[in-house]
Amino acid sequence: MKNDKTNVMRVLDSKKVAYQSYSYTADSTLSGEQIAELLNEDVKRVFKTLVTQGKTGQHYVFVIPVAEELDLKKAAKACGEKSVAMIKQKELLPLTGYIHGGCSPIGMKKMFSTFVHISAKEYDKMFVSAGKVGMQVELPPQALIDIVNVKFDDLIVET
């Protein structure tokens, strides 16, 4: 496993961020809830990375708990756009360098404005994709501020 470093792990190592990596047998059809279950973790601590495009053409990254749904109105407000929409799955790899199910806010091809749901601040550590299907990293939310300059906001649909 030591030689199986993902780009996310290389970025974390280069920034001297302490993290724990986890791998599990998976394919991209697993839901976020199923991944949390495989990790034996609270579903509220496992986050997914979503990429959107605003009306201006700018791209934005949103990191929210896996069991939640991105509120596109709140997302647009957070990034100062009139509206945002999810990008098409086929656009993900050329834009970010990641495939569906393995998209991480860390180590994308370009730095995009990134927003994390405020609930992440409630935890000492959170999980995000390690940049590959079947791999996650656990790290402090503060690390995301240091690496990708995230902003925290209320981004999910109220149930």
Side-chain angles (χ1 to χ4, degrees), residues 67-105:
E68 302 296 340
E69 185 184 337
L70 180 65
D71 184 317
L72 293 172
K73 283 191 172 72
K74 289 179 182 177
K77 186 176 177 213
C79 60
E81 287 273 1
K82 278 196 168 115
S83 65
V84 295
M86 297 298 298
I87 64 166
K88 290 178 177 57
Q89 195 169 318
K90 68 177 196 265
E91 296 172 24
L92 190 62
L93 181 60
L95 185 68
T96 66
Y98 293 124
I99 63 165
H100 179 74
C103 189
S104 179

Side-chain angles (χ1 to χ4, degrees), residues 24-43 46-48 66 101-102 127-129 132-136:
Y24 47 91
T25 305
D27 59 48
S28 58
T29 62
L30 278 182
S31 71
E33 290 97 327
Q34 290 168 314
I35 291 167
E37 203 173 295
L38 280 172
L39 293 169
N40 203 18
E41 286 298 333
D42 181 346
V43 73
V46 181
F47 286 71
K48 60 187 171 186
V66 294
F127 289 82
V128 295
S129 173
K132 192 173 170 187
V133 174
M135 296 188 80
Q136 295 275 315

